[in-house]
Amino acid sequence: MPLVLLMTLAGALHAADSGAIDVERCVLATAHKLAAYDAAQADKTAYPNEAKGARWSTVAAKDWVSGFYPGSLWYVYEFARRRHWPDQEGWRQRADTWTTGLTAEQLTTTNHDLGFMLMDSFGQGFRLTGEPRYQSVVRQAAQSLAKRYRPEVGLIRSWGAIDDLKSYTVIIDNMMNLELLMWASSHGGRTQDGTAQDLRKIAINHADRAAREFFRPDHSTYHVVELDPRTGAVLRKHTAQGKADDSCWSRGQTWAIYGFAAMYEASGDRKYLEQSIQAAGFYLAHLPADHVPPSDFSSTLAGLEFKDSSAAAIACCAFFRISRLSDDPAIQTRFRQAAIDTLRSLTRAPYFSDSPDKASALLYQARNYSPDANNRLTNTSLIWGDYYLLEALLAYDADSR
Ligand code: GLY
Protein backbone atom coordinates (compact mmCIF):
# COMPACT_ATOMS: atom_id res chain seq x y z
CA MET A 1 0.00 0.00 0.00
CA PRO A 2 1.44 3.47 -0.86
CA LEU A 3 2.74 5.32 2.17
CA VAL A 4 0.39 8.26 1.71
CA LEU A 5 -2.64 5.94 1.71
CA LEU A 6 -1.39 4.17 4.83
CA MET A 7 -0.99 7.53 6.58
CA THR A 8 -4.52 8.61 5.52
CA LEU A 9 -5.96 5.33 6.77
CA ALA A 10 -4.07 5.61 10.05
CA GLY A 11 -5.36 9.16 10.46
CA ALA A 12 -8.95 8.07 9.80
CA LEU A 13 -8.68 5.22 12.29
CA HIS A 14 -7.25 7.57 14.89
CA ALA A 15 -10.16 9.98 14.35
CA ALA A 16 -12.61 7.11 14.82
CA ASP A 17 -10.84 5.90 17.97
CA SER A 18 -10.71 9.32 19.53
CA GLY A 19 -14.38 9.78 18.73
CA ALA A 20 -13.87 13.18 17.18
CA ILE A 21 -17.00 14.83 15.78
CA ASP A 22 -16.29 16.48 12.44
CA VAL A 23 -18.69 19.40 12.73
CA GLU A 24 -17.70 21.06 9.48
CA ARG A 25 -18.20 17.87 7.45
CA CYS A 26 -21.63 17.24 8.99
CA VAL A 27 -22.87 20.81 8.60
CA LEU A 28 -21.62 20.88 5.01
CA ALA A 29 -23.32 17.59 4.14
CA THR A 30 -26.60 18.77 5.70
CA ALA A 31 -26.28 22.17 4.02
CA HIS A 32 -25.78 20.46 0.69
CA LYS A 33 -29.12 18.66 1.07
CA LEU A 34 -30.89 21.86 2.17
CA ALA A 35 -29.50 23.81 -0.79
CA ALA A 36 -30.42 21.04 -3.23
CA TYR A 37 -34.04 21.22 -2.06
CA ASP A 38 -34.10 25.00 -2.49
CA ALA A 39 -32.57 24.79 -5.95
CA ALA A 40 -35.08 22.17 -7.13
CA GLN A 41 -38.21 23.72 -5.60
CA ALA A 42 -39.70 26.68 -7.48
CA ASP A 43 -42.55 27.09 -5.00
CA LYS A 44 -40.94 28.72 -1.98
CA THR A 45 -43.98 28.01 0.16
CA ALA A 46 -43.78 24.21 -0.22
CA TYR A 47 -42.03 23.28 3.02
CA PRO A 48 -40.15 19.96 3.42
CA ASN A 49 -41.89 17.54 5.75
CA GLU A 50 -40.99 13.84 5.55
CA ALA A 51 -39.32 11.37 3.17
CA LYS A 52 -38.67 7.66 2.88
CA GLY A 53 -36.10 8.23 0.12
CA ALA A 54 -34.55 11.13 -1.75
CA ARG A 55 -37.56 13.45 -2.10
CA TRP A 56 -39.26 15.39 0.64
CA SER A 57 -43.05 15.42 0.73
CA THR A 58 -44.14 18.97 1.37
CA VAL A 59 -46.61 20.90 3.50
CA ALA A 60 -48.03 24.41 3.40
CA ALA A 61 -47.02 27.24 5.73
CA LYS A 62 -49.84 26.43 8.19
CA ASP A 63 -48.37 23.01 9.09
CA TRP A 64 -46.54 22.70 12.42
CA VAL A 65 -43.25 21.69 10.72
CA SER A 66 -43.02 24.68 8.37
CA GLY A 67 -40.47 26.61 10.46
CA PHE A 68 -37.85 23.87 10.54
CA TYR A 69 -36.59 24.28 6.97
CA PRO A 70 -36.07 28.05 7.22
CA GLY A 71 -34.70 27.48 10.72
CA SER A 72 -32.17 25.00 9.34
CA LEU A 73 -31.13 27.53 6.71
CA TRP A 74 -30.58 30.11 9.46
CA TYR A 75 -28.33 27.64 11.34
CA VAL A 76 -26.26 27.06 8.20
CA TYR A 77 -26.04 30.84 7.73
CA GLU A 78 -24.81 31.16 11.33
CA PHE A 79 -22.20 28.47 10.77
CA ALA A 80 -21.18 30.01 7.42
CA ARG A 81 -20.56 33.31 9.25
CA ARG A 82 -18.54 31.59 11.97
CA ARG A 83 -16.35 29.85 9.40
CA HIS A 84 -16.24 32.81 7.01
CA TRP A 85 -17.63 30.73 4.13
CA PRO A 86 -17.61 32.81 0.93
CA ASP A 87 -21.31 32.17 0.21
CA GLN A 88 -22.70 33.49 3.53
CA GLU A 89 -24.96 35.95 1.73
CA GLY A 90 -26.54 33.15 -0.31
CA TRP A 91 -27.44 31.33 2.90
CA ARG A 92 -28.94 34.48 4.40
CA GLN A 93 -31.03 35.03 1.28
CA ARG A 94 -32.31 31.45 1.24
CA ALA A 95 -33.21 31.66 4.93
CA ASP A 96 -34.97 34.98 4.42
CA THR A 97 -36.96 33.74 1.41
CA TRP A 98 -38.31 30.68 3.20
CA THR A 99 -38.91 32.64 6.40
CA THR A 100 -40.90 35.27 4.54
CA GLY A 101 -43.26 32.57 3.24
CA LEU A 102 -44.49 32.09 6.82
CA THR A 103 -45.43 35.73 7.46
CA ALA A 104 -49.20 35.19 7.49
CA GLU A 105 -48.91 32.53 10.22
CA GLN A 106 -48.31 35.23 12.84
CA LEU A 107 -52.10 35.65 12.96
CA THR A 108 -52.87 31.95 13.34
CA THR A 109 -54.98 31.01 16.34
CA THR A 110 -55.97 27.55 15.15
CA ASN A 111 -52.93 25.70 16.53
CA HIS A 112 -50.44 25.92 19.37
CA ASP A 113 -47.35 25.38 17.20
CA LEU A 114 -46.45 29.03 16.69
CA GLY A 115 -43.25 28.60 18.68
CA PHE A 116 -42.00 25.87 16.36
CA MET A 117 -43.15 27.73 13.26
CA LEU A 118 -42.13 31.30 14.00
CA MET A 119 -39.38 31.26 16.65
CA ASP A 120 -37.34 28.85 14.55
CA SER A 121 -37.75 31.03 11.44
CA PHE A 122 -38.40 34.69 12.29
CA GLY A 123 -36.92 34.39 15.79
CA GLN A 124 -33.68 33.04 14.38
CA GLY A 125 -33.73 35.69 11.66
CA PHE A 126 -33.93 38.40 14.32
CA ARG A 127 -31.27 36.75 16.49
CA LEU A 128 -28.83 36.64 13.59
CA THR A 129 -29.57 39.89 11.75
CA GLY A 130 -31.30 42.19 14.25
CA GLU A 131 -33.78 43.21 11.53
CA PRO A 132 -36.93 44.71 13.16
CA ARG A 133 -39.27 43.17 10.55
CA TYR A 134 -38.49 39.73 11.97
CA GLN A 135 -39.07 40.84 15.55
CA SER A 136 -42.52 42.30 14.92
CA VAL A 137 -43.74 38.97 13.48
CA VAL A 138 -42.56 37.10 16.58
CA ARG A 139 -44.35 39.58 18.84
CA GLN A 140 -47.60 39.19 16.90
CA ALA A 141 -47.23 35.39 16.94
CA ALA A 142 -46.98 35.46 20.74
CA GLN A 143 -50.16 37.54 20.91
CA SER A 144 -51.94 35.00 18.69
CA LEU A 145 -50.71 32.05 20.75
CA ALA A 146 -51.85 33.73 23.97
CA LYS A 147 -55.44 33.59 22.67
CA ARG A 148 -55.33 29.82 23.11
CA TYR A 149 -54.82 30.21 26.87
CA ARG A 150 -57.79 29.81 29.19
CA PRO A 151 -57.25 31.06 32.77
CA GLU A 152 -59.75 28.49 34.14
CA VAL A 153 -57.39 25.77 32.93
CA GLY A 154 -54.02 27.45 33.36
CA LEU A 155 -52.65 25.80 30.22
CA ILE A 156 -52.49 26.76 26.53
CA ARG A 157 -54.86 24.66 24.47
CA SER A 158 -52.94 22.48 22.01
CA TRP A 159 -55.62 21.03 19.77
CA GLY A 160 -59.12 22.19 18.87
CA ALA A 161 -60.79 25.54 18.35
CA ILE A 162 -60.15 28.36 20.83
CA ASP A 163 -63.82 28.64 21.78
CA ASP A 164 -64.58 24.91 22.14
CA LEU A 165 -66.28 24.45 25.51
CA LYS A 166 -66.65 20.67 25.18
CA SER A 167 -63.02 19.61 25.17
CA TYR A 168 -59.61 21.02 26.03
CA THR A 169 -56.56 19.06 24.90
CA VAL A 170 -52.98 19.81 25.90
CA ILE A 171 -49.89 17.86 24.80
CA ILE A 172 -46.42 17.81 26.33
CA ASP A 173 -45.00 19.20 23.05
CA ASN A 174 -46.58 22.52 23.98
CA MET A 175 -43.69 23.18 26.38
CA MET A 176 -41.70 24.06 23.25
CA ASN A 177 -43.92 27.05 22.49
CA LEU A 178 -43.36 28.84 25.79
CA GLU A 179 -40.03 30.33 24.74
CA LEU A 180 -41.96 32.36 22.15
CA LEU A 181 -44.09 33.95 24.89
CA MET A 182 -41.14 34.58 27.20
CA TRP A 183 -39.05 36.08 24.42
CA ALA A 184 -41.88 38.30 23.15
CA SER A 185 -42.64 39.45 26.68
CA SER A 186 -39.09 40.74 27.08
CA HIS A 187 -39.07 42.31 23.58
CA GLY A 188 -42.15 44.51 23.77
CA GLY A 189 -44.78 41.85 23.01
CA ARG A 190 -48.27 42.16 24.50
CA THR A 191 -51.45 40.17 24.83
CA GLN A 192 -54.22 41.72 22.74
CA ASP A 193 -55.69 43.68 25.62
CA GLY A 194 -52.99 43.31 28.21
CA THR A 195 -49.36 43.74 29.02
CA ALA A 196 -46.04 42.05 28.44
CA GLN A 197 -46.43 40.54 31.90
CA ASP A 198 -49.47 38.62 30.68
CA LEU A 199 -47.45 36.77 28.05
CA ARG A 200 -44.87 35.86 30.65
CA LYS A 201 -47.52 34.86 33.20
CA ILE A 202 -49.24 32.62 30.65
CA ALA A 203 -45.94 30.82 29.95
CA ILE A 204 -45.21 30.44 33.67
CA ASN A 205 -48.72 29.22 34.50
CA HIS A 206 -48.53 26.70 31.67
CA ALA A 207 -45.11 25.40 32.75
CA ASP A 208 -46.22 25.14 36.38
CA ARG A 209 -49.36 23.20 35.62
CA ALA A 210 -47.59 21.03 33.00
CA ALA A 211 -45.06 20.08 35.67
CA ARG A 212 -47.94 18.90 37.88
CA GLU A 213 -50.07 17.12 35.27
CA PHE A 214 -47.74 15.52 32.74
CA PHE A 215 -45.20 13.76 34.94
CA ARG A 216 -45.46 10.35 36.55
CA PRO A 217 -43.61 9.60 39.79
CA ASP A 218 -40.68 8.12 37.81
CA HIS A 219 -40.40 11.43 35.83
CA SER A 220 -41.62 9.91 32.57
CA THR A 221 -44.32 11.90 30.78
CA TYR A 222 -47.84 11.43 29.52
CA HIS A 223 -48.32 12.68 25.99
CA VAL A 224 -51.88 14.08 26.16
CA VAL A 225 -53.92 15.57 29.00
CA GLU A 226 -57.64 16.24 28.46
CA LEU A 227 -59.28 18.80 30.71
CA ASP A 228 -62.66 20.33 31.34
CA PRO A 229 -62.49 23.79 29.70
CA ARG A 230 -64.94 25.28 32.23
CA THR A 231 -63.41 24.01 35.46
CA GLY A 232 -59.90 22.98 34.44
CA ALA A 233 -60.39 19.52 35.97
CA VAL A 234 -58.32 16.73 34.44
CA LEU A 235 -60.53 14.23 32.62
CA ARG A 236 -58.07 11.81 31.02
CA LYS A 237 -54.38 11.23 30.32
CA HIS A 238 -53.45 9.27 27.23
CA THR A 239 -51.25 9.08 24.14
CA ALA A 240 -51.72 9.90 20.48
CA GLN A 241 -48.22 9.11 19.20
CA GLY A 242 -46.78 6.67 21.72
CA LYS A 243 -47.38 2.95 22.25
CA ALA A 244 -49.82 3.06 25.15
CA ASP A 245 -51.50 5.56 27.44
CA ASP A 246 -49.22 4.57 30.30
CA SER A 247 -46.02 4.30 28.23
CA CYS A 248 -43.46 7.01 27.54
CA TRP A 249 -43.29 8.31 23.96
CA SER A 250 -39.63 9.19 23.61
CA ARG A 251 -40.00 12.42 21.65
CA GLY A 252 -42.59 13.68 24.11
CA GLN A 253 -40.03 13.09 26.86
CA THR A 254 -37.45 15.13 24.94
CA TRP A 255 -39.92 17.98 24.35
CA ALA A 256 -40.29 18.07 28.13
CA ILE A 257 -36.53 18.01 28.78
CA TYR A 258 -35.91 20.78 26.25
CA GLY A 259 -38.99 22.84 27.11
CA PHE A 260 -38.27 23.02 30.85
CA ALA A 261 -34.58 23.81 30.22
CA ALA A 262 -35.68 26.64 27.90
CA MET A 263 -38.10 27.91 30.58
CA TYR A 264 -35.23 27.98 33.08
CA GLU A 265 -33.12 29.98 30.66
CA ALA A 266 -35.96 32.45 30.01
CA SER A 267 -37.16 32.82 33.62
CA GLY A 268 -34.18 32.04 35.85
CA ASP A 269 -36.47 29.91 38.05
CA ARG A 270 -34.44 26.90 39.18
CA LYS A 271 -37.45 24.64 39.58
CA TYR A 272 -37.66 24.41 35.79
CA LEU A 273 -34.05 23.29 35.54
CA GLU A 274 -34.76 20.64 38.19
CA GLN A 275 -37.80 19.46 36.21
CA SER A 276 -35.73 19.22 33.04
CA ILE A 277 -32.96 17.30 34.81
CA GLN A 278 -35.45 14.85 36.33
CA ALA A 279 -37.03 14.20 32.92
CA ALA A 280 -33.55 13.78 31.47
CA GLY A 281 -32.75 11.32 34.25
CA PHE A 282 -35.57 9.03 33.11
CA TYR A 283 -34.51 9.40 29.47
CA LEU A 284 -30.85 8.63 30.12
CA ALA A 285 -31.62 5.68 32.41
CA HIS A 286 -33.62 4.02 29.62
CA LEU A 287 -31.34 4.71 26.65
CA PRO A 288 -29.80 1.85 24.67
CA ALA A 289 -26.03 1.70 24.13
CA ASP A 290 -26.09 3.74 20.90
CA HIS A 291 -27.74 6.72 22.68
CA VAL A 292 -30.75 6.71 20.32
CA PRO A 293 -34.08 5.75 21.88
CA PRO A 294 -36.82 3.59 20.44
CA SER A 295 -39.86 5.67 19.47
CA ASP A 296 -41.47 4.58 22.74
CA PHE A 297 -39.56 3.47 25.81
CA SER A 298 -41.86 0.50 26.30
CA SER A 299 -41.33 -0.73 22.72
CA THR A 300 -40.16 -4.33 22.43
CA LEU A 301 -39.37 -3.94 18.72
CA ALA A 302 -35.70 -4.44 17.96
CA GLY A 303 -34.04 -2.71 15.03
CA LEU A 304 -33.07 0.70 13.77
CA GLU A 305 -36.34 1.13 11.93
CA PHE A 306 -38.18 1.46 15.24
CA LYS A 307 -35.89 4.16 16.63
CA ASP A 308 -36.52 7.88 16.73
CA SER A 309 -33.22 9.64 16.11
CA SER A 310 -35.08 12.99 16.06
CA ALA A 311 -35.79 12.49 19.76
CA ALA A 312 -32.07 11.93 20.30
CA ALA A 313 -31.26 15.15 18.41
CA ILE A 314 -33.74 17.14 20.55
CA ALA A 315 -32.33 15.59 23.73
CA CYS A 316 -28.81 16.40 22.59
CA CYS A 317 -29.67 20.11 22.19
CA ALA A 318 -31.33 20.11 25.61
CA PHE A 319 -28.29 18.44 27.23
CA PHE A 320 -25.95 21.10 25.81
CA ARG A 321 -28.32 23.73 27.21
CA ILE A 322 -28.52 22.14 30.67
CA SER A 323 -24.73 21.85 30.75
CA ARG A 324 -24.35 25.51 29.77
CA LEU A 325 -26.98 26.80 32.21
CA SER A 326 -26.20 24.79 35.33
CA ASP A 327 -23.76 26.17 37.89
CA ASP A 328 -23.14 22.70 39.32
CA PRO A 329 -19.89 21.22 37.89
CA ALA A 330 -21.20 17.64 38.25
CA ILE A 331 -24.35 18.49 36.25
CA GLN A 332 -22.29 20.38 33.67
CA THR A 333 -20.00 17.39 33.15
CA ARG A 334 -22.78 14.79 33.14
CA PHE A 335 -24.89 16.58 30.55
CA ARG A 336 -22.00 17.70 28.36
CA GLN A 337 -20.90 14.08 28.18
CA ALA A 338 -24.45 12.89 27.43
CA ALA A 339 -24.71 15.50 24.66
CA ILE A 340 -21.38 14.52 23.11
CA ASP A 341 -22.12 10.78 23.31
CA THR A 342 -25.43 11.39 21.55
CA LEU A 343 -23.98 13.68 18.90
CA ARG A 344 -21.16 11.25 18.18
CA SER A 345 -23.72 8.54 17.50
CA LEU A 346 -25.94 10.79 15.36
CA THR A 347 -23.08 12.00 13.17
CA ARG A 348 -21.99 8.52 12.08
CA ALA A 349 -23.42 5.56 10.25
CA PRO A 350 -26.05 4.28 10.49
CA TYR A 351 -27.70 7.52 11.64
CA PHE A 352 -25.91 10.10 9.49
CA SER A 353 -26.13 10.01 5.73
CA ASP A 354 -24.57 12.30 3.13
CA SER A 355 -26.05 10.17 0.34
CA PRO A 356 -28.26 11.90 -2.24
CA ASP A 357 -30.54 8.87 -1.96
CA LYS A 358 -31.80 10.24 1.35
CA ALA A 359 -33.53 13.62 1.68
CA SER A 360 -32.30 14.17 5.24
CA ALA A 361 -28.92 13.87 6.91
CA LEU A 362 -30.44 12.15 9.95
CA LEU A 363 -31.90 8.68 9.34
CA TYR A 364 -34.16 6.39 11.38
CA GLN A 365 -36.63 8.91 12.68
CA ALA A 366 -40.21 8.18 13.68
CA ARG A 367 -43.23 10.44 13.61
CA ASN A 368 -45.14 8.07 15.89
CA TYR A 369 -44.56 4.72 17.55
CA SER A 370 -45.51 2.07 14.98
CA PRO A 371 -44.85 -1.67 14.70
CA ASP A 372 -44.93 -1.41 10.87
CA ALA A 373 -41.53 -0.29 9.56
CA ASN A 374 -42.94 0.23 6.07
CA ASN A 375 -45.62 2.76 6.83
CA ARG A 376 -44.95 6.50 6.77
CA LEU A 377 -44.83 6.90 10.55
CA THR A 378 -41.54 5.20 11.21
CA ASN A 379 -38.14 4.45 9.63
CA THR A 380 -38.28 7.82 7.88
CA SER A 381 -36.76 11.26 7.43
CA LEU A 382 -38.38 14.20 9.21
CA ILE A 383 -37.35 17.79 8.67
CA TRP A 384 -37.13 18.60 12.37
CA GLY A 385 -34.49 15.89 12.84
CA ASP A 386 -32.05 17.80 10.66
CA TYR A 387 -33.02 21.10 12.32
CA TYR A 388 -32.15 19.84 15.81
CA LEU A 389 -29.08 18.02 14.52
CA LEU A 390 -27.79 21.34 13.16
CA GLU A 391 -28.63 23.07 16.45
CA ALA A 392 -26.66 20.40 18.31
CA LEU A 393 -23.69 20.64 15.92
CA LEU A 394 -23.54 24.42 16.38
CA ALA A 395 -23.85 24.06 20.17
CA TYR A 396 -21.00 21.53 20.20
CA ASP A 397 -18.93 23.78 17.97
CA ALA A 398 -19.48 26.78 20.27
CA ASP A 399 -18.75 24.64 23.34
CA SER A 400 -15.48 23.31 21.90
CA ARG A 401 -14.02 26.69 20.92
N1 GLY B 1 -45.15 18.16 17.93
C1 GLY B 1 -45.53 17.06 17.15
C2 GLY B 1 -44.58 15.93 17.20
O1 GLY B 1 -43.59 15.96 17.91
O2 GLY B 1 -44.85 14.98 16.49
Side-chain angles (χ1 to χ4, degrees):
M1 195 181 286
L3 183 62
V4 65
L5 199 58
L6 267 176
M7 286 169 67
T8 311
L9 193 60
L13 285 173
H14 177 73
D17 286 348
S18 66
I21 297 169
D22 190 341
V23 175
E24 182 125 12
R25 178 185 69 81
C26 294
V27 174
L28 260 175
T30 312
H32 190 73
K33 289 176 188 250
L34 296 168
Y37 179 80
D38 174 62
Q41 179 57 263
D43 177 359
K44 305 298 185 197
T45 61
Y47 290 89
N49 176 28
E50 61 188 17
K52 281 279 192 188
R55 287 170 63 88
W56 289 111
S57 72
T58 63
V59 288
K62 65 176 173 23
D63 192 275
W64 82 273
V65 308
S66 60
F68 293 120
Y69 181 68
S72 300
L73 296 170
W74 282 120
Y75 276 137
V76 177
Y77 169 60
E78 182 174 11
F79 193 78
R81 278 200 330 201
R82 271 191 210 169
R83 290 292 198 275
H84 307 290
W85 288 358
D87 56 344
Q88 288 169 45
E89 179 55 19
W91 286 105
R92 193 197 61 73
Q93 281 174 9
R94 279 187 200 98
D96 177 66
T97 299
W98 287 90
T99 293
T100 303
L102 300 179
T103 306
E105 300 315 309
Q106 65 187 297
L107 295 172
T108 290
T109 57
T110 52
N111 73 60
H112 74 144
D113 292 311
L114 288 152
F116 286 120
M117 296 158 74
L118 298 174
M119 272 306 270
D120 297 351
S121 52
F122 285 88
Q124 299 255 52
F126 182 71
R127 180 176 69 84
L128 293 168
T129 69
E131 285 192 32
R133 68 194 167 101
Y134 296 133
Q135 188 183 34
S136 63
V137 171
V138 180
R139 281 200 295 249
Q140 175 57 55
Q143 190 176 103
S144 300
L145 178 61
K147 293 180 184 167
R148 295 187 65 82
Y149 177 81
R150 209 172 145 79
E152 295 86 338
V153 182
L155 290 161
I156 299 162
R157 189 197 292 262
S158 295
W159 298 339
I162 48 174
D163 54 357
D164 183 353
L165 286 179
K166 292 204 176 63
S167 73
Y168 202 100
T169 308
V170 186
I171 61 175
I172 188 63
D173 320 30
N174 209 339
M175 283 302 303
M176 295 296 286
N177 295 308
L178 304 185
E179 214 173 357
L180 167 68
L181 299 178
M182 296 296 281
W183 189 90
S185 165
S186 59
H187 289 80
R190 298 274 181 275
T191 50
Q192 188 163 7
D193 47 10
T195 68
Q197 272 307 308
D198 293 336
L199 291 176
R200 184 182 167 85
K201 192 83 183 97
I202 287 170
I204 284 171
N205 287 352
H206 183 107
D208 289 350
R209 190 151 191 212
R212 293 198 302 276
E213 306 298 359
F214 280 90
F215 287 87
R216 306 185 180 100
D218 63 359
H219 310 299
S220 68
T221 45
Y222 291 99
H223 178 205
V224 186
V225 177
E226 305 277 357
L227 305 107
D228 183 326
R230 293 179 196 274
T231 66
V234 172
L235 303 175
R236 193 160 82 93
K237 299 185 182 185
H238 62 104
T239 192
Q241 291 173 259
K243 183 179 177 190
D245 292 350
D246 60 357
S247 72
C248 181
W249 173 48
S250 58
R251 194 164 64 258
Q253 191 72 12
T254 62
W255 291 142
I257 300 166
Y258 192 128
F260 279 99
M263 270 305 282
Y264 173 60
E265 182 156 29
S267 71
D269 190 334
R270 295 190 74 86
K271 71 177 183 245
Y272 299 133
L273 182 62
E274 293 307 319
Q275 195 75 40
S276 175
I277 290 171
Q278 286 176 343
F282 176 90
Y283 176 91
L284 289 168
H286 293 80
L287 265 190
D290 69 355
H291 306 279
V292 179
S295 58
D296 190 292
F297 281 110
S298 68
S299 172
T300 53
L301 303 164
L304 290 165
E305 60 272 38
F306 303 111
K307 298 261 194 180
D308 182 10
S309 61
S310 79
I314 296 158
C316 186
C317 299
F319 296 160
F320 276 122
R321 208 183 271 227
I322 294 169
S323 162
R324 176 168 56 78
L325 295 175
S326 174
D327 54 11
D328 177 340
I331 296 284
Q332 290 169 4
T333 305
R334 178 180 175 213
F335 283 95
R336 186 169 182 276
Q337 193 57 52
I340 291 173
D341 290 344
T342 305
L343 192 59
R344 193 176 288 131
S345 184
L346 294 181
T347 49
R348 294 182 177 190
Y351 293 110
F352 191 88
S353 168
D354 53 13
S355 163
D357 295 342
K358 292 290 181 185
S360 65
L362 193 60
L363 306 184
Y364 301 111
Q365 306 181 49
R367 186 174 287 273
N368 290 5
Y369 166 83
S370 170
D372 177 1
N374 296 315
N375 71 18
R376 61 172 274 267
L377 297 176
T378 193
N379 188 20
T380 192
S381 295
L382 298 160
I383 188 63
W384 63 84
D386 280 14
Y387 173 84
Y388 288 105
L389 178 66
L390 283 169
E391 181 175 314
L393 284 163
L394 267 73
Y396 173 76
D397 184 59
D399 182 82
S400 332
R401 284 173 159 231

